[in-house]
Amino acid sequence: MRKNIVAGNWKMNKTLQEGVALATELKEILKGQKPNCEVIIGTPFIHLATVAEVIKGSVIKLSAENCADKESGAYTGEVSAAMVKSTGAEYCILGHSERRQYYHETYEILKEKVLLALANGLKPIFCIGELKEEREAGKQNEVVKAQLEGSVFNLSAEDFSKIVLAYEPVWAIGTGLTATSDQAEEIHAYIRSLIAAKYGKEVAENTTILYGGSCKASNAKELFSKPDVDGGLIGGASLKAPDFKGIIDAF
Ligand code: PGA
């Protein structure tokens, strides 16, 4: 059976001290609780090692928000998958639309990043999703198919099984516009059918597909009630512990 997951994506927010305070607060709020989903926080690189210590002994797991597309060497300013892994992080968000849009990450670059993350024992949270214009032109299925084929459908079934997918319509990210639960279900089911066609029904049934894009405590329950929506990737609402806890409680 696939896992339900609620994962935070802090993006470029919080100083180290603020991030430690947020992780500490979340750990406190979740103390003694048994959430019905896996809980992950995705933090900037500089927080990882310290936050890994803070959340020790709690249910919270740790993710990076990116990693380099090169193994090591003269790539000033980059952070490798091996470095991420060495902090204690277990996951790595890859292919977020902000990385694709603002940092020009192509299918090929993302393919390399996914391979390096897996080779270093990190589980990618691989993001896909269409732009507003693409949705308006009815091209959302075409877009997510190309994103999967371009960066992750090269993997063996064994490696693909380690991946979590996040469907995030770009028009819903940080805009307050959420896909309706029916819109989310429709495309999540389509994504699962693509996985089934490529890797078989069992792998498809075991793949966790998260929804992301203005997901908050008030709409999470409705979204997560859909059979193919296995949780959320949460931006804005992951920056305050009570808000994030409200989404975890939707399960
Ligand atoms: P949001 O971001 O929840 O702030 O819309 C989601 C994301 O980009 O992962």
Side-chain angles (χ1 to χ4, degrees):
M1 258 311 275
R2 58 182 176 262
K3 270 190 236 173
N4 290 323
I5 297 176
V6 171
N9 173 14
W10 291 1
K11 308 192 180 185
M12 197 174 74
N13 292 296
K14 308 282 174 193
T15 63
L16 178 58
Q17 291 73 21
E18 290 164 352
V20 166
L22 175 56
T24 307
E25 192 186 350
L26 191 63
K27 181 180 171 173
E28 286 305 311
I29 290 194
L30 290 171
K31 205 181 222 157
Q33 306 242 338
K34 286 206 181 70
N36 293 317
C37 60
E38 190 165 301
V39 177
I40 303 172
I41 50 178
T43 81
F45 291 131
I46 64 131
H47 299 64
L48 290 172
T50 317
V51 168
E53 287 302 315
V54 171
I55 61 180
K56 257 195 190 139
S58 78
V59 296
I60 308 165
K61 302 194 168 186
L62 189 59
S63 178
E65 299 174 10
N66 183 24
C67 74
D69 62 338
K70 303 285 192 299
E71 210 165 320
S72 67
Y75 301 101
T76 303
E78 288 294 297
V79 175
S80 73
M83 292 174 189
V84 169
K85 178 70 181 177
S86 73
T87 64
E90 209 178 302
Y91 289 90
C92 187
I93 298 171
L94 291 172
H96 192 281
S97 61
E98 287 148 19
R99 303 287 325 166
R100 293 178 192 262
Q101 255 186 301
Y102 309 143
Y103 301 97
H104 316 294
E105 294 192 358
T106 61
Y107 295 172
E108 271 309 307
I109 289 173
L110 291 171
K111 190 174 179 177
E112 290 307 310
K113 291 189 176 197
V114 168
L115 287 170
L116 284 164
L118 287 167
N120 286 283
L122 292 168
K123 296 178 227 170
I125 301 174
F126 187 73
C127 307
I128 55 178
E130 81 285 356
L131 304 169
K132 186 162 177 270
E133 311 81 88
E134 293 166 337
R135 165 72 57 170
E136 283 165 357
K139 290 194 170 146
Q140 61 274 18
N141 286 8
E142 224 174 281
V143 171
V144 296
K145 184 166 189 256
Q147 289 170 331
L148 290 169
E149 286 174 344
S151 306
V152 292
F153 274 3
N154 56 301
L155 297 171
S156 67
E158 192 192 339
D159 274 344
F160 187 84
S161 307
K162 296 171 189 153
I163 287 193
V164 171
L165 292 179
Y167 167 68
E168 300 203 305
V170 180
W171 47 271
I173 296 177
T175 56
L177 291 173
T178 318
T180 64
S181 58
D182 287 337
Q183 279 174 325
E185 172 56 23
E186 189 182 10
I187 194 154
H188 279 229
Y190 172 70
I191 292 164
R192 203 177 302 286
S193 77
L194 293 174
I195 302 167
K198 174 76 192 168
Y199 294 107
K201 202 164 166 25
E202 194 183 333
V203 173
E205 283 304 318
N206 287 327
T207 303
T208 296
I209 309 176
L210 308 178
Y211 168 80
S214 300
C215 183
K216 41 191 183 277
S218 57
N219 58 24
K221 208 170 183 152
E222 166 70 20
L223 285 159
F224 299 171
S225 71
K226 295 294 177 183
D228 288 293
V229 179
D230 310 314
L233 182 57
I234 319 298
S238 72
L239 294 173
K240 288 199 179 114
D243 294 353
F244 194 54
K245 172 72 165 41
I247 298 172
I248 294 165
D249 287 345
F251 275 118

